[in-house]
């Protein structure tokens, strides 16, 4: 073979796919591309061997070896795959964007069909090497008997050089002479990190070696798992395997609650496992991670165009060969197959939840605290998801049992038809809960951070149903029927408290409550409270009194303290009566919410004065 020179040919008809679909955002992606090319070369050889068109070597260990040499400033990628002839080097390397994988598939299409196992589709993966290298050298020897080894070198321009190589083993070595501004890729630990990021599950064993170390040779163990769990059939996987895989991939030492194994061959190819993690607190729900793969090659985390946004609260792996390795998000948004894949994933998640509810209700109830934020967020973001799972949304009752909305409405239709009472803080609202229980009333516990939005969503979906927090309204069941003889007392009580009450109380009402132990209670308008909470959630608006909670003071005329106050001569004991009335209001406010520093200071001062009065008795 004679030494010769030439110019790299640019195929203009392939330039547009390059510009539109091959836009690298991460510099380290060249490692993924070159290792993927090596795996492709091995996959092609294996396929030819299965067709009887290539010689099978006994006990051959197919592998890709990455070699770091800081002293020489080189990074090598070696595979023992199909190799290339001089003609193939000129064809596949010198013509930018002419894909060897596509040519291979076209040639053998009648024998092997459309092969989803060949990664490259654009023919540009090799050229990513020039992002970090000032010069690239290829040494390759084809599997074809009688072929001569070839060396190809290029310094990143349009000129290349081809000459004979002394390589005597089938396969390819790509040597990168690293640029000064990319020296971090000569660090063994950096390269290891990148390989584990992108290539942890490639189907060919990958080894890493440092040529400068005294103990040379590849690692005893490959860096990757060639048969990830999602590639297995669900019936062949054990619970322990699912848990171990979860802990290994997501570095979470806690067991997941449960999982969904996706395994679809038609109308598209999709495999993966989605895990529902156990949450320590709700904020963890924002830390989900769904890894997207293409033929076991890592593409990116949390691609919401493929995986619906609400599913990104989960953790998992999705492998979809029908999607290209590098593609713009605008392309994904318009692609019909992507939409079908996204809808299918939603359906499988909904089916799993429904199946769990129907067949493992106790487990479903136990999981609810951890999964409710995911389910409620999913309903808010995707009405199709809500329609699939609306009948299995459950709520915790005051006694700790779980119930559906339909069941709650049916049980309470005679007491308060289509009205759903709920609590948001069982400790803070304990006084109200006590009164409800004594009146044989029930309420739902809604303590999820999304519940303020979720109940508004449910009210828009469930005709005629309204939600009212336990401190926003008084059921008739809590009241005694006032007799006419109490009318004068009620008016006196109302005037008494109306004159001295403050603390943002808009209205004073007098009721005869069944529970005589409670002198007064605060009700907060449901709508004003929701608006105030929504304002706080979105940063608030600095407009005084625009979204203040509207408070109503309910004074219980069935309480002996209140009755006693009406009997005291106001003109002789005005200061004491005002003190007691304000103190009663303080206690009512304290039972409704935490007092502000100023309110707490006033309460303590009044408490001391009340104690002083008690000492005078």
């Amino acid at each position: 073979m004679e030494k010769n020179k030439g110019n790299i040919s640019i195929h203009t008809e392939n330039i547009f796919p390059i510009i539109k679909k091959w836009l690298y955002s991460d510099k380290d992606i060249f490692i993924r591309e070159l290792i993927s090319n090596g795996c492709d070369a091995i996959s092609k050889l294996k396929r030819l061997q299965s067709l009887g068109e290539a010689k099978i070597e006994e006990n051959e260990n197919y592998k890709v070896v990455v070699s770091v040499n800081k002293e020489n400033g080189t990074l090598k990628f070696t595979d023992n795959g199909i190799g290339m002839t001089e003609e193939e080097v000129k064809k596949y390397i010198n013509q930018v964007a002419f894909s060897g994988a596509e040519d291979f598939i076209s040639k053998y299409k009648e024998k092997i069909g459309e092969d989803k196992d060949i990664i490259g589709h654009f023919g540009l993966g090799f050229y990513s090497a020039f992002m970090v290298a000032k010069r690239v050298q290829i040494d390759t020897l084809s599997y074809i008997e009688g072929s001569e080894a070839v060396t190809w070198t290029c310094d990143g321009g349009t000129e290349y050089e081809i000459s004979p190589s002394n390589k005597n083993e089938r396969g390819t070595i790509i040597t990168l002479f690293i640029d000064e501004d990319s020296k971090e890729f000569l660090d063994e630990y950096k390269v290891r990190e990148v390989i584990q990021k992108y290539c942890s599950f490639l189907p060919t064993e990958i080894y890493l070696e440092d040529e400068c170390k005294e103990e040379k040779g590849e690692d005893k163990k490959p860096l990757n798992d060639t048969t990830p769990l999602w590639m297995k059939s669900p019936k062949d996987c054990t619970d322990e395997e699912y848990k171990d895989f979860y802990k290994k991939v997501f570095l979470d030492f806690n067991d997941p609650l449960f999982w969904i194994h996706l395994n679809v061959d038609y109308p598209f190819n999709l495999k993966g496992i989605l895990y529902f993690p156990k949450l320590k607190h709700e904020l963890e729900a924002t830390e989900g991670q769904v890894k997207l793969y293409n033929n076991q090659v890592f593409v990116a985390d949390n691609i919401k165009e493929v995986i619906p946004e609400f599913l990104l609260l989960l953790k998992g792996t999705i492998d979809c060969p029908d999607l290209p390795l590098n593609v713009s998000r605008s392309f994904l948004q318009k692609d019909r197959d992507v939409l079908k894949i996204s809808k299918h994933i939603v359906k499988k998640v909904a089916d799993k939840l429904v199946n769990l509810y129907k067949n493992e209700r106790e487990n479903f109830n136990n999981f609810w605290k951890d999964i409710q934020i995911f389910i409620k967020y999913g309903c808010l973001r995707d009405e199709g998801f809500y329609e699939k799972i609306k009948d299995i949304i459950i709520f915790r009752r005051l006694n700790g049992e779980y119930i559906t909305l339909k069941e709650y409405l049916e049980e309470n239709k005679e007491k308060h038809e289509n009205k759903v009472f709920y609590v948001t803080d069982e400790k803070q609202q304990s006084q109200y809960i006590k009164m409800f229980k004594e009146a044989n009333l029930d309420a739902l516990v809604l303590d999820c951070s999304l519940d303020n939005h979720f109940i508004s969503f449910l009210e828009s979906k469930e005709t005629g149903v309204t939600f009212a927090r336990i401190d926003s309204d008084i059921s008739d069941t809590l009241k005694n029927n006032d007799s006419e003889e109490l009318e004068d007392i009620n008016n006196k009580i109302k005037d008494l408290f109306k004159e001295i009450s403050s603390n943002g109380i808009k209205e004073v009402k007098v009721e005869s409550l069944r529970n005589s132990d409670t002198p007064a209670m605060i009700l907060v308008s449901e709508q004003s409270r929701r608006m105030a909470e929504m304002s706080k959630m979105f940063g608030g608006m600095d407009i005084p009194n625009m979204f203040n909670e509207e408070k109503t003071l309910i004074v219980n005329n069935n309480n002996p303290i209140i009755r006693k106050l009406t009997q005291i001569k106001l003109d002789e004991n005005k200061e004491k009566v005002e003190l007691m009335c304000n103190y009663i209001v303080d206690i009512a406010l304290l039972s409704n919410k935490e007092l502000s520093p100023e309110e707490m200071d006033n309460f303590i001062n009044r408490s001391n004065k009340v104690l002083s009065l008690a000492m005078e008795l």
Side-chain angles (χ1 to χ4, degrees):
M1 182 192 303
E2 294 183 0
K3 185 174 182 179
N4 61 80
K5 293 186 177 182
N7 290 326
I8 295 173
S9 171
I10 305 293
H11 275 213
T12 54
E13 67 268 24
N14 288 322
I15 285 297
F16 291 110
I18 295 169
I19 296 171
K20 294 177 181 178
K21 300 181 180 180
W22 203 274
L23 191 61
Y24 292 115
S25 58
D26 298 314
K27 194 175 183 181
D28 60 9
I29 213 165
F30 78 94
I31 293 178
R32 182 192 78 176
E33 296 303 316
L34 296 182
I35 291 178
S36 296
N37 284 350
C39 292
D40 275 352
I42 291 170
S43 295
K44 293 174 187 177
L45 179 64
K46 288 180 178 179
R47 188 54 54 92
L48 291 176
Q49 289 173 338
S50 69
L51 296 173
E53 298 194 15
K55 182 180 178 182
I56 300 176
E57 302 289 343
E58 292 186 11
N59 302 320
E60 182 158 18
N61 178 26
Y62 294 104
K63 61 183 181 290
V64 174
V65 180
V66 182
S67 307
V68 180
N69 192 315
K70 187 174 286 189
E71 292 179 3
N72 294 337
T74 60
L75 185 62
K76 294 181 182 178
F77 298 82
T78 304
D79 71 74
N80 54 353
I82 194 170
M84 290 180 286
T85 62
E86 181 181 3
E87 180 183 352
E88 288 171 330
V89 168
K90 291 178 179 179
K91 184 177 182 181
Y92 300 140
I93 303 300
N94 294 343
Q95 299 185 67
V96 176
F98 187 87
S99 173
E102 289 188 350
D103 191 49
F104 179 84
I105 292 170
S106 176
K107 181 178 179 181
Y108 289 96
K109 191 170 185 179
E110 293 182 3
K111 295 184 179 181
I112 64 175
E114 188 174 351
D115 194 337
K116 296 289 186 180
D117 293 331
I118 307 300
I119 296 169
H121 288 290
F122 301 120
L124 268 179
F126 163 73
Y127 280 89
S128 64
F130 287 100
M131 292 193 301
V132 298
K134 57 189 175 185
R135 182 160 63 94
V136 177
Q137 177 176 314
I138 301 175
D139 290 276
T140 184
L141 176 61
S142 173
Y143 76 99
I144 300 172
E145 292 187 15
S147 297
E148 295 183 1
V150 178
T151 293
W152 178 96
T153 58
C154 179
D155 62 3
T158 58
E159 292 187 353
Y160 67 87
E161 184 177 291
I162 294 181
S163 60
S165 171
N166 57 7
K167 181 172 174 55
N168 53 22
E169 294 181 345
R170 182 203 67 238
T172 300
I173 302 172
I174 300 176
T175 304
L176 277 56
F177 295 85
I178 303 298
D179 270 330
E180 286 297 322
D181 61 354
S182 299
K183 292 295 185 182
E184 70 266 26
F185 295 107
L186 294 175
D187 183 283
E188 179 190 354
Y189 297 103
K190 171 67 176 179
V191 176
R192 182 184 298 271
E193 176 188 328
V194 176
I195 293 173
Q196 289 174 336
K197 174 183 176 181
Y198 291 111
C199 309
S200 286
F201 301 107
L202 277 174
T204 301
E205 291 184 349
I206 303 165
Y207 296 89
L208 176 63
E209 65 178 18
D210 188 337
E211 294 182 340
C212 296
K213 288 184 178 179
E214 293 183 5
E215 295 181 4
K216 295 183 180 179
E218 62 198 39
D219 290 341
K220 293 181 180 179
K221 291 184 179 180
L223 297 182
N224 58 322
D225 177 1
T226 58
T227 54
L229 197 62
W230 73 74
M231 298 299 292
K232 296 173 65 175
S233 172
K235 64 181 178 61
D236 297 328
C237 302
T238 66
D239 286 355
E240 285 306 311
E241 285 179 315
Y242 282 117
K243 292 175 184 178
D244 289 344
F245 183 74
Y246 171 79
K247 293 174 183 178
K248 170 185 169 185
V249 174
F250 300 104
L251 302 177
D252 189 339
F253 297 105
N254 298 306
D255 287 340
L257 297 173
F258 57 95
W259 48 85
I260 302 167
H261 194 144
L262 305 167
N263 195 347
V264 183
D265 293 320
Y266 182 84
F268 42 77
N269 194 330
L270 175 71
K271 290 178 171 59
I273 305 172
L274 289 175
Y275 289 94
F276 285 72
K278 183 171 179 58
L279 304 179
K280 294 176 185 175
H281 48 76
E282 279 192 0
L283 290 177
E284 281 192 328
T286 62
E287 299 173 1
Q289 184 182 31
V290 180
K291 296 175 175 290
L292 182 65
Y293 292 82
N294 177 312
N295 279 322
Q296 299 171 232
V297 181
F298 176 71
V299 178
D301 284 321
N302 300 345
I303 301 295
K304 64 181 181 181
E305 287 77 12
V306 179
I307 303 153
E309 186 178 2
F310 73 92
L311 290 180
L312 298 181
L313 300 179
L314 306 180
K315 294 183 179 181
T317 57
I318 299 290
D319 194 334
C320 189
D322 291 325
L323 296 176
L325 269 174
N326 295 277
V327 69
S328 68
R329 289 190 162 182
S330 60
F331 173 88
L332 291 173
Q333 290 168 351
K334 298 174 184 177
D335 190 88
R336 292 183 179 181
D337 287 337
V338 171
L339 183 61
K340 290 178 183 177
I341 291 168
S342 179
K343 286 185 175 181
H344 179 79
I345 294 173
V346 171
K347 180 181 181 302
K348 296 299 287 185
V349 170
D351 289 347
K352 174 68 176 183
L353 292 169
V354 171
N355 181 68
L356 193 62
Y357 173 86
K358 291 180 177 179
N359 300 312
E360 300 180 51
R361 181 61 189 274
E362 185 175 350
N363 281 337
F364 186 82
N365 291 349
N366 292 335
F367 295 153
W368 184 254
K369 186 176 181 180
D370 290 286
I371 67 175
Q372 64 167 325
I373 190 169
F374 154 76
I375 289 178
K376 290 172 181 177
Y377 183 60
C379 292
L380 293 170
R381 298 293 297 181
D382 188 329
E383 291 195 20
F385 178 70
Y386 168 73
E387 290 299 326
K388 291 179 176 66
I389 57 95
K390 63 182 180 181
D391 294 330
I392 68 164
I393 297 172
I394 60 176
F395 303 86
R396 182 163 63 86
R397 308 166 69 159
L398 293 177
N399 63 5
E401 296 177 356
Y402 283 93
I403 191 172
T404 64
L405 181 61
K406 184 178 180 181
E407 290 168 339
Y408 176 89
L409 293 171
E410 183 64 28
E411 283 188 12
N412 294 277
K413 64 180 180 180
E414 294 182 1
K415 300 173 184 175
H416 41 81
E417 185 176 3
N418 283 343
K419 179 171 283 189
V420 181
F421 284 104
Y422 67 94
V423 301
T424 55
D425 188 325
E426 291 176 89
K427 291 182 179 179
Q428 186 66 51
Q429 295 151 16
S430 60
Q431 180 184 356
Y432 300 87
I433 293 172
K434 180 183 177 183
M435 293 176 64
F436 256 58
K437 287 181 176 179
E438 288 174 350
N440 199 28
L441 293 176
D442 197 9
L444 304 178
V445 180
L446 298 179
D447 54 2
C448 173
S449 59
L450 289 178
D451 279 331
N452 196 47
H453 301 283
F454 189 61
I455 59 178
S456 297
F457 172 79
L458 289 178
E459 286 172 336
S460 71
K461 293 295 180 183
E462 304 292 333
T463 306
V465 174
T466 58
F467 283 76
R469 202 166 77 173
I470 201 170
D471 60 349
S472 67
D473 195 4
I474 295 184
S475 169
D476 291 338
T477 315
L478 296 176
K479 302 176 185 177
N480 280 326
N481 291 322
D482 282 347
S483 60
E484 291 183 5
E485 63 190 48
L486 288 176
E487 186 174 349
D488 289 340
I489 296 176
N490 289 350
N491 289 333
K492 188 174 182 180
I493 294 172
K494 188 172 182 179
D495 291 340
L496 188 64
F497 277 87
K498 197 171 184 180
E499 183 178 339
I500 57 87
S501 62
S502 55
N503 295 301
I505 293 172
K506 185 177 182 181
E507 187 177 5
V508 177
K509 291 183 179 180
V510 182
E511 300 284 357
S512 182
L513 304 180
R514 288 182 182 275
N515 186 330
S516 62
D517 295 334
T518 303
M521 59 191 298
I522 294 291
L523 298 184
V524 181
S525 161
E526 179 72 17
Q527 293 306 315
S528 71
R529 183 185 54 75
R530 290 194 201 179
M531 290 297 294
E533 289 181 359
M534 192 175 297
S535 175
K536 291 176 184 176
M537 182 171 290
F538 291 102
M541 292 187 178
D542 192 19
I543 304 177
N545 303 319
M546 183 174 182
F547 291 123
N548 288 340
E549 296 177 342
E550 296 178 0
K551 300 185 184 75
T552 299
L553 176 68
I554 302 295
V555 185
N556 183 9
N557 65 19
N558 196 31
N559 177 262
I561 297 175
I562 300 299
R563 289 289 186 94
K564 184 71 175 175
L565 280 174
T566 62
Q567 298 169 10
I568 298 175
K569 292 182 179 180
L570 186 60
D571 55 348
E572 297 178 5
N573 299 279
K574 185 176 181 182
E575 186 176 341
K576 291 181 181 179
V577 172
E578 287 184 353
L579 172 64
M580 294 304 297
C581 288
N582 275 305
Y583 191 65
I584 289 169
V585 173
D586 285 339
I587 294 174
L589 288 167
L590 188 61
S591 299
N592 180 261
K593 68 176 185 64
E594 291 184 4
L595 297 181
S596 69
E598 182 181 355
E599 290 170 337
M600 179 59 73
D601 187 49
N602 291 333
F603 172 65
I604 292 172
N605 290 333
R606 277 193 276 267
S607 298
N608 291 331
K609 290 179 181 179
V610 169
L611 288 173
S612 297
L613 285 176
M615 292 297 291
E616 294 174 4
L617 297 177

